[in-house]
């Protein structure tokens, strides 16, 4: 591939490896614990949106642990994050992934029409959550660390705590 410099394989003018996926790649800051499930979901979403949704729910469950939650019950984890001040847009993205993914893992519990578009939206939502919960804080911390030490100490004194 001239773009990523990795091997690609084609058959009858169709890319086979990596598979052609109409969804975004994993966010650059996606934790390594979640990336394999995301990538596998990406590789099969064209042929099995339900299976891809189930894998993304698994990635979400692993992400919850990395966000400081238990990772056993995604609904409870989202509630805990909301109590800690989670922005409404992130809560809605998490619940979208939870409900759609739950349908894929536990068929029949809720009635949602599993269309490819719904599965495709899960990829966007997962990347949005990574951007908000991991990338932005990482970027802000990096910028804050560039402040002069004296300024950071003054801020800590002002706030009465270490940052």
């Amino acid at each position: 591939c001239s773009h990523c410099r990795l091997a690609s394989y084609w058959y009858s003018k169709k890319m086979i490896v990596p598979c052609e996926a109409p969804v975004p790649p994993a966010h650059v800051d996606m934790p390594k614990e979640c990336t394999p499930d995301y990538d596998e979901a990406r590789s099969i979403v064209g042929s099995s949106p339900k299976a891809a949704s189930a894998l993304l729910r698994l990635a979400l469950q692993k992400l919850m642990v990395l966000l400081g939650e238990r990772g056993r019950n995604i609904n409870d984890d989202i509630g805990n994050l909301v109590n800690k001040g989670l922005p409404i847009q992130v809560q809605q993205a998490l619940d979208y992934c939870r409900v759609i993914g739950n349908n894929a893992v536990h068929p029949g519990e809720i009635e949602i029409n599993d269309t490819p578009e719904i599965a495709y939206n899960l990829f966007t939502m997962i990347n949005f959550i990574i951007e908000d919960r991991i990338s932005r804080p990482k970027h802000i911390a990096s910028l804050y660390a560039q402040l002069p030490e004296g300024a950071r100490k003054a801020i800590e004194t002002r706030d009465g705590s270490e940052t």
Side-chain angles (χ1 to χ4, degrees):
C1 173
S2 62
H3 178 70
C4 70
R5 306 219 188 288
L6 296 175
S8 64
Y9 300 96
W10 295 74
Y11 179 74
S12 296
K13 297 184 180 182
K14 184 177 180 185
M15 186 167 54
I16 306 298
V17 176
C19 72
E20 218 171 339
V23 295
H27 193 287
V28 67
D29 286 330
M30 184 169 291
K32 67 183 185 318
E33 295 87 346
C34 304
T35 304
D37 298 319
Y38 185 98
D39 289 343
E40 184 176 347
R42 191 168 183 259
S43 75
I44 64 168
V45 69
S47 58
S48 181
K50 287 182 183 181
S53 296
L55 284 165
L56 290 174
R57 186 177 191 274
L58 179 59
L60 179 64
Q61 202 155 6
K62 291 176 181 179
L63 178 61
M64 293 309 244
V65 173
L66 300 169
L67 295 178
E69 299 304 321
R70 294 178 62 182
R72 291 190 183 140
N73 182 307
I74 295 174
N75 191 47
D76 291 346
D77 291 345
I78 294 169
N80 289 338
L81 290 171
V82 167
N83 289 335
K84 295 175 186 174
L86 186 73
I88 187 75
Q89 295 86 0
V90 182
Q91 172 261 308
Q92 290 174 347
L94 285 165
D95 278 321
Y96 181 86
C97 295
R98 177 186 63 82
V99 171
I100 298 301
N102 195 51
N103 189 41
V105 175
H106 306 290
E109 284 189 10
I110 56 176
E111 293 295 324
I112 293 181
N113 199 5
D114 281 327
T115 65
E117 291 76 24
I118 289 173
Y120 298 163
N121 287 330
L122 282 172
F123 289 91
T124 302
M125 291 292 104
I126 294 279
N127 280 335
F128 169 77
I129 295 162
I130 299 294
E131 176 66 28
D132 188 87
R133 299 285 86 195
I134 296 174
S135 295
R136 284 186 191 157
K138 183 174 144 182
H139 180 70
I140 291 168
S142 170
L143 293 174
Y144 187 80
Q146 294 175 23
L147 291 174
E149 185 178 346
R152 288 194 316 263
K153 293 248 186 242
I155 292 167
E156 290 170 11
T157 301
R158 177 198 70 199
D159 295 345
S161 66
E162 290 188 31
T163 52

